[in-house]
Every structure is written in C-alpha cells, then in structure tokens.
Amino acid sequence: MDELDQIKKFIKESPQGTIFSTPEWLEAVAPGNWEYLKIQSDHSIEICMPIVLSNKMGFKFCNMPPFTQSLGIILPKQQGKYAKMLSRETNSMLNLISIIPKNSYFRQRFHPSLTNWLPFYWNQYSQSTKYTYIIEDLTNIEDVWRGIRTKKHQEIRKAENKLKIHETRDFDTLKFCIESTYARQNKKGFNFKILENIFIACDKLNCSKIFIAKNNLGDIAGSVFIVWDKKSAYYLAGGSPVNLRNS
C-alpha cells in the first residue's frame, strides 16, 4: 500500500475522516496547495491533519479552503479506558503541532466529534465555537418528520402539491439557481470554478447529486448540491429563481 492509499484508508476509518479530508476533495478546492501532516509509528498512522498552504505578499497562510466544512485533526478510532485514550490523543496532537509549518496565519475548523483542543491551547492557539446540525438517524423518516417544526411541515406539504424533485448532472442548472439567489441578495464573488471542480471530482467518486425542483409547467423552482461520504451527507450549495423561491 502506497502512502496516499494508507492515508485514504486512515481517513475512511477515522471518526473525523470525511469527504472534505480526501485527496480528491483537496485537489478540487486547493489544486497543488495541500498536504498531509502525520505522525507514524511502526508503519501505522497515529494522527493526521490535511492542511492548505498559500503565500501572499511574503506571508504564509494555513487556511480553510472554500466549500469545506471541516479539516483539522484526524485520529484513529480508539477503544479502552477514557484516561488512556485521552492521554494517547493528547500526546499525538502535541507531536503533530510540533511539525505544523511556520506560518503567519493559521485557521482550521475541526470535526464536531473532536472535543479536545487542549494541546493547541498549550501552544498559544485560540479557539472559538461554531455549530452545525446533524440528523443522526435516517432509518425512520417518521421520526425525522416529527422533529421538524410545524411551519416547515406546512411548507413541505404545500410544495409536494406543486413541485416534483429530479436528479440531474446538469451543473449549469445549479449555477443558474445560485446566480439567481446571489442577484436577489445583491451579492457577488461566488466561486463557480471551485464548485465545478468539486462537482467533477465527486461525480467520478459517485458521492454527490444535484437535485432540482420543477413546477407543473416545468419551470425550475430551485436546486441543491449534496455531497456525502460513508458517515454523512452535506448540503454544499443551492439557490432558487426569485419568482419561484416561495413555492
């Protein structure tokens, strides 16, 4: 097994490993500007962290790439007593922090399952908390439905009478819907080149879909782009034409 295959296997088995950590994703969002930091023992990986590096005006930045929910520390699945697992995890993180390239700016979003950032605190890093929402179990859709607000129930039932959902590989349709939303919000600067890179990469890996909603006349009411791995699916981008956005 070569080095990259070993890393991909490690990512797949790790609780923190996601589609965002894979080499295919990193190459799509930061072509040629990514690498994996890792600590190994006896030919096995103890800890890994994908990073994206860039240079601007003589300063080196280690930053989050676009459309990427989380990177940060990736650890193996651990078993045993909590104290021993925490000690192992902390030592591995300290070792990895020691090999982070010198930089002027460092920003990483860690996976929600990683709650121990103490080694970074000890090394003078700062931390802020952000939130993401996860539906843990999709096996019983009725339970999921009961967890949704009543107002959303009404909107979904209304939409069911007016709209049909289709899968498509038409990136231009998705682009049209996003452009419509950005125009309505008077925003600019959406990176369609990177999004198309992601679409191409994930299409090859069979881990993404574009969904579009159409009304009874065949007009497009909205579109979303979803990507996934073995653990979760993620909403990545979407939009809707202004005249049908409330349908």
Side-chain angles (χ1 to χ4, degrees):
M1 183 183 299
D2 65 25
E3 182 181 19
L4 203 55
D5 285 339
Q6 185 186 25
I7 290 172
K8 289 168 75 171
K9 183 175 184 292
F10 182 80
I11 290 169
K12 185 177 180 180
E13 295 173 353
S14 167
Q16 295 83 39
T18 67
I19 181 65
F20 307 116
S21 312
T22 63
E24 293 86 357
W25 182 278
L26 294 169
E27 185 59 25
V29 296
N33 291 322
W34 56 275
E35 63 179 279
Y36 290 103
L37 305 180
K38 64 183 188 301
I39 302 293
Q40 289 191 212
S41 63
D42 299 326
H43 306 293
S44 63
I45 300 174
E46 290 184 4
I47 188 171
C48 177
M49 182 167 73
I51 60 170
V52 172
L53 296 171
S54 61
N55 290 284
K56 294 180 182 178
M57 300 176 66
F59 295 97
K60 181 173 281 189
F61 293 80
C62 181
N63 205 349
M64 289 294 298
F67 301 107
T68 302
Q69 188 188 84
S70 64
L71 287 180
I73 296 295
I74 303 173
L75 292 159
K77 189 175 183 179
Q78 300 192 69
Q79 293 180 328
K81 290 185 177 180
Y82 175 73
K84 287 187 176 180
M85 289 192 297
L86 185 61
S87 177
R88 255 192 328 263
E89 178 182 292
T90 298
N91 288 333
S92 294
M93 290 172 70
L94 287 169
N95 289 333
L96 187 133
I97 290 168
S98 71
I99 63 171
I100 293 175
K102 289 184 178 180
N103 57 80
S104 305
Y105 179 82
F106 178 90
R107 183 171 70 103
Q108 293 279 288
R109 282 196 296 270
F110 288 2
H111 190 270
S113 66
L114 191 74
T115 57
N116 175 23
W117 80 282
L118 193 58
F120 283 87
Y121 173 75
W122 288 338
N123 281 273
Q124 311 303 312
Y125 289 82
S126 61
Q127 179 265 358
S128 62
T129 301
K130 293 183 180 289
Y131 292 88
T132 187
Y133 295 92
I134 303 169
I135 301 174
E136 295 283 1
D137 185 3
L138 297 177
T139 55
N140 190 326
I141 295 301
E142 289 302 316
D143 283 346
V144 176
W145 179 255
R146 282 191 288 270
I148 298 173
R149 288 190 318 224
T150 301
K151 183 179 178 182
K152 291 298 178 187
H153 286 179
Q154 295 167 352
E155 291 177 359
I156 291 169
R157 288 193 175 106
K158 173 186 170 185
E160 283 178 333
N161 295 324
K162 294 183 176 182
L163 303 173
K164 297 294 183 183
I165 307 301
H166 307 269
E167 295 178 20
T168 182
R169 297 177 69 248
D170 185 354
F171 183 81
D172 287 337
T173 297
L174 174 67
K175 184 177 179 180
F176 162 73
C177 290
I178 295 172
E179 285 176 333
S180 299
T181 296
Y182 261 56
R184 177 177 57 82
Q185 296 173 346
N186 199 26
K187 291 182 178 179
K188 296 181 180 179
F190 191 94
N191 197 328
F192 285 107
K193 174 59 180 170
I194 295 296
L195 188 66
E196 188 170 15
N197 288 349
I198 294 169
F199 169 71
I200 293 169
C202 290
D203 191 51
K204 289 179 180 177
L205 295 172
N206 193 28
C207 64
S208 69
K209 286 184 187 291
I210 296 172
F211 294 98
I212 58 172
K214 290 184 177 182
N215 65 15
N216 294 330
L217 298 175
D219 300 317
I220 296 169
S223 180
V224 295
F225 182 38
I226 306 294
V227 301
W228 65 81
D229 49 43
K230 293 292 184 182
K231 305 179 185 77
S232 297
Y234 311 88
Y235 167 87
L236 205 66
S240 57
V242 64
N243 59 319
L244 290 174
R245 63 182 294 265
N246 292 320
S247 59

